[in-house]
Amino acid sequence: MVCFRLSPAPGSGLFLLCLVLGAVSSYALELNLTNSEKATCLYAKWQMNFTIRYETTNKTFKTVTISDHGTATYNGSFCGDDHNGPKIAVQFGSGFSWTVNFTKELSAYSIDSIFFSYNTNDSTTFPDAKEKEVFTIYDRVTFPIPLNDIFRCNSLSTIEQNNVVQHYWDVHVQAFVQNGTVSTKEFLCDKDKTATTVVPVIPTTAPAPTTTPTPKEKPEVGSYAVKNSNGTCLLATMGLQLNITQDKVASVFNINPNTTDVTGSCHPQTALLRLNGSNIKYLDFVFAVKNENRFYLKEVSVSMYLVNGSVFSITNNNLSYWDAPLGSSYMCNKEQTVSVSGTFQINTFDLRVQPFSVMEGKYSTAQDCSADDDNFLVPIAVGAALAGVLILVLLAYFIGLKRHHAGYEQF
Ligand SMILES: *[C@@H]1O[C@H](CO)[C@@H](O)[C@H](O)[C@H]1NC(C)=O
Ligand SMILES: *[C@@H]1O[C@H](CO)[C@@H](O)[C@H](O)[C@H]1NC(C)=O
Ligand SMILES: *[C@@H]1O[C@H](CO)[C@@H](O)[C@H](O)[C@H]1NC(C)=O
Ligand SMILES: *[C@@H]1O[C@H](CO)[C@@H](O)[C@H](O)[C@H]1NC(C)=O
Ligand SMILES: *[C@@H]1O[C@H](CO)[C@@H](O)[C@H](O)[C@H]1NC(C)=O
Ligand SMILES: *[C@@H]1O[C@H](CO)[C@@H](O)[C@H](O)[C@H]1NC(C)=O
Ligand SMILES: *[C@@H]1O[C@H](CO)[C@@H](O)[C@H](O)[C@H]1NC(C)=O
Ligand SMILES: *[C@@H]1O[C@H](CO)[C@@H](O)[C@H](O)[C@H]1NC(C)=O
Ligand SMILES: *[C@@H]1O[C@H](CO)[C@@H](O)[C@H](O)[C@H]1NC(C)=O
Ligand SMILES: *[C@@H]1O[C@H](CO)[C@@H](O)[C@H](O)[C@H]1NC(C)=O
Ligand SMILES: *[C@@H]1O[C@H](CO)[C@@H](O)[C@H](O)[C@H]1NC(C)=O
Ligand SMILES: *[C@@H]1O[C@H](CO)[C@@H](O)[C@H](O)[C@H]1NC(C)=O
């Protein structure tokens, strides 16, 4: 294991030493992509291996580890253009291919997705495989890195999915390289950070960990509808921003309606709107009827996958938001916050919902949230006006009375 980390290049003395020690060889992959002006646009250097489990003809399972990429080619690797993000594509061995693609936001770029495919038709690598076909594993990673930083993760990262365990280590990657110069500013993965912060003697100002950028932009507004046998029964239009606080650090995610699926159900007394996406297992909004004449948002449940692979879940079924009369919709264009718990809140933008009595798939008249504030103000304003009138009437009365009185006195 140690020798892997020390032997970045194949064929070195250390590599031989590793063989003598009986370890399996491991090659670093390196890619220095240049654009048409011969300036570096993407740089990557990393190590990886894959353990694949497959079914054999006699219904038992075998595992095989692929760690030799000695004959790798990089066909299909690409700097990116106006329409497509950069991509690293690697082919090795007999029919293995590995691809990672990147996206760019305002101040960050993300490792978007990783694809790995293998062909069990190759009987030397997969002896006795029952199925002989190409399998592809796809992982949506969406790991953000500040623009102009090189990502480094010497520690081992493991992704486990559908019979394949992917191991990555000694990873260095920078997409969207600026001015042809690979950055010297490293953005470390959490595991590398803890590996270096074990050392500090005096806990003075911690070596400022570059915080992951949070999207400050408004989320895109999505339109969601739930149907039952009678047609559309629930409508919701809103931009959603999720705010998760963990270890005192808030991470903010915008929900992209383009990559979000909607399901749900409608009943006389409750209605459910369920959203899901690649990172969101589910995000439930449960509406209820109160006093037989109003509806409100009663419950929010969420379960989502965090960048590090763990799952964050929370439920609160004792909420009271988005209250409006049955037969109308609730609308709020300004930013509003639904506080689900101390660690989870949802910021909503350009909201309109109608969970009950939807007619012909259209919203009914809206109760606007600014009315929530007006509800407060209207009685006060009316009261103040009435008080004013009363005072005027009384004043007029007393002045009149006084004149009258004075009149009598004069005579
Ligand atoms: C990548 O290639 C370019 C052009 O060949 C070279 O100038 C640059 O030094 C290389 N960068 C690295 C990190 O190897
Ligand atoms: C694959 O990589 C992991 C992590 O470095 C290592 O523990 C394991 O021994 C490797 N397997 C092979 C067969 O090289
Ligand atoms: C199934 O195949 C494996 C490997 O080909 C062999 O080791 C094992 O004995 C076989 N089992 C049976 C029940 O035939
Ligand atoms: C990669 O591209 C080269 C040249 O274009 C070609 O000769 C080679 O067969 C390709 N390799 C693969 C695995 O497609
Ligand atoms: C990466 O690949 C996935 C799956 O093909 C695709 O949905 C996504 O849009 C790609 N991202 C980029 C930046 O091309
Ligand atoms: C498997 O490989 C054999 C020989 O290499 C080829 O004739 C056959 O078409 C392949 N089958 C599949 C499903 O790829
Ligand atoms: C790239 O070059 C431009 C103009 O020379 C400069 O303004 C900019 O700061 C450079 N960016 C980086 C990341 O070095
Ligand atoms: C459909 O509409 C009818 C008449 O309004 C009603 O009786 C029935 O319960 C509705 N069905 C569903 C699934 O909502
Ligand atoms: C996220 O939640 C934290 C803690 O409740 C709060 O301090 C922060 O302002 C919130 N950020 C956004 C963008 O809502
Ligand atoms: C969603 O799709 C629309 C139309 O295809 C497009 O204009 C918009 O940019 C997409 N939004 C995101 C966040 O991808
Ligand atoms: C939502 O969940 C369904 C069922 O679990 C799944 O098929 C679908 O792919 C998910 N949608 C997204 C965008 O991930
Ligand atoms: C993922 O990160 C969260 C918050 O930082 C932490 O509570 C959790 O233990 C981490 N999970 C794993 C598997 O590292």
Side-chain angles (χ1 to χ4, degrees):
M1 177 98 143
V2 173
C3 64
F4 294 165
R5 300 200 171 166
L6 291 176
S7 63
S12 66
L14 273 167
F15 168 64
L16 281 176
L17 181 66
C18 291
L19 283 184
V20 171
L21 291 173
V24 183
S25 66
S26 180
Y27 292 84
L29 293 142
E30 186 170 14
L31 177 63
N32 181 355
L33 262 187
T34 54
N35 61 17
S36 49
E37 278 101 48
K38 295 213 157 47
T40 301
C41 62
L42 186 154
Y43 176 78
K45 184 168 168 182
W46 74 105
Q47 305 215 45
M48 61 183 176
N49 72 24
F50 304 90
T51 301
I52 303 165
R53 197 173 105 102
Y54 66 96
E55 196 178 352
T56 60
T57 42
N58 67 7
K59 293 211 156 41
T60 57
F61 283 88
K62 276 187 177 172
T63 58
V64 55
T65 296
I66 314 300
S67 54
D68 180 353
H69 324 300
T71 56
T73 55
Y74 297 90
N75 289 3
S77 299
F78 172 63
C79 278
D81 59 22
D82 292 346
H83 306 291
N84 297 293
K87 191 161 96 170
I88 301 175
V90 187
Q91 305 82 37
F92 53 87
S94 50
F96 294 98
S97 92
W98 182 87
T99 304
V100 56
N101 66 7
F102 301 85
T103 49
K104 187 170 144 186
E105 289 116 45
L106 283 176
S107 57
Y109 63 99
S110 294
I111 302 176
D112 187 284
S113 313
I114 295 176
F115 302 83
F116 173 63
S117 62
Y118 55 98
N119 189 348
T120 52
N121 193 24
D122 168 25
S123 55
T124 36
T125 316
F126 302 99
D128 313 318
K130 182 173 160 233
E131 282 148 318
K132 298 192 176 293
E133 57 184 295
V134 176
F135 292 88
T136 298
I137 305 296
Y138 163 62
D139 270 291
R140 190 85 202 281
V141 188
T142 53
F143 183 82
I145 301 156
L147 211 55
N148 305 335
D149 283 10
I150 182 166
F151 173 67
R152 161 159 85 76
C153 198
N154 289 336
S155 310
L156 181 66
S157 312
T158 304
I159 303 177
E160 201 168 340
Q161 203 197 48
N162 296 358
N163 296 328
V164 179
V165 182
Q166 310 174 39
H167 288 299
Y168 300 98
W169 68 101
D170 286 350
V171 176
H172 298 77
V173 61
Q174 185 182 5
F176 304 99
V177 172
Q178 302 291 300
N179 299 347
T181 313
V182 175
S183 180
T184 50
K185 191 154 162 251
E186 289 182 333
F187 179 76
L188 305 188
C189 60
D190 284 344
K191 279 186 186 158
D192 277 18
K193 263 186 222 159
T194 50
T196 52
T197 46
V198 173
V199 197
V201 189
I202 312 149
T204 48
T205 44
T210 341
T211 49
T212 42
T214 51
K216 294 286 190 299
E217 321 94 66
K218 263 177 77 172
E220 202 156 306
V221 175
S223 291
Y224 309 103
V226 177
K227 290 191 171 72
N228 66 9
S229 52
N230 283 353
T232 301
C233 59
L234 183 154
L235 286 169
T237 307
M238 54 198 174
L240 294 171
Q241 187 173 69
L242 310 185
N243 183 350
I244 295 179
T245 308
Q246 276 187 316
D247 305 327
K248 299 197 174 124
V249 181
S251 358
V252 179
F253 306 82
N254 285 348
I255 290 192
N256 179 355
N258 293 357
T259 57
T260 302
D261 283 341
V262 54
T263 50
S265 60
C266 301
H267 302 285
Q269 296 294 316
T270 62
L272 164 73
L273 172 69
R274 165 169 289 189
L275 304 180
N276 79 316
S278 52
N279 297 322
I280 301 172
K281 214 162 141 192
Y282 58 82
L283 171 59
D284 286 358
F285 296 89
V286 180
F287 299 87
V289 172
K290 68 175 180 192
N291 304 331
E292 287 170 8
N293 61 6
R294 298 185 75 84
F295 70 80
Y296 68 106
L297 175 67
K298 183 177 190 300
E299 173 178 337
V300 169
S301 269
V302 70
S303 183
M304 58 188 291
Y305 305 102
L306 300 180
V307 172
N308 66 7
S310 65
V311 175
F312 174 86
S313 303
I314 211 137
T315 298
N316 186 340
N317 63 6
N318 200 11
L319 301 174
S320 186
Y321 290 97
W322 307 349
D323 186 316
L326 276 180
S328 67
S329 56
Y330 177 86
M331 187 161 129
C332 199
N333 287 327
K334 67 179 183 201
E335 178 177 352
Q336 257 190 332
T337 297
V338 173
S339 241
V340 180
S341 77
T343 56
F344 182 63
Q345 65 182 50
I346 305 174
N347 301 324
T348 63
F349 299 80
D350 301 317
L351 171 79
R352 187 163 185 185
V353 286
Q354 184 167 349
F356 298 100
S357 2
V358 174
M359 298 292 183
E360 291 161 354
K362 293 201 195 80
Y363 282 111
S364 309
T365 47
Q367 167 165 316
D368 200 286
C369 62
S370 53
D372 298 353
D373 313 335
D374 292 351
N375 281 347
F376 245 129
L377 295 175
V378 167
I380 294 171
V382 170
L386 280 177
V389 169
L390 194 68
I391 287 167
L392 279 177
V393 167
L394 284 175
L395 264 178
Y397 174 75
F398 279 118
I399 290 169
L401 199 67
K402 220 174 168 185
R403 279 226 185 111
H404 230 91
H405 210 69
Y408 277 116
E409 293 240 307
Q410 263 175 5
F411 288 104

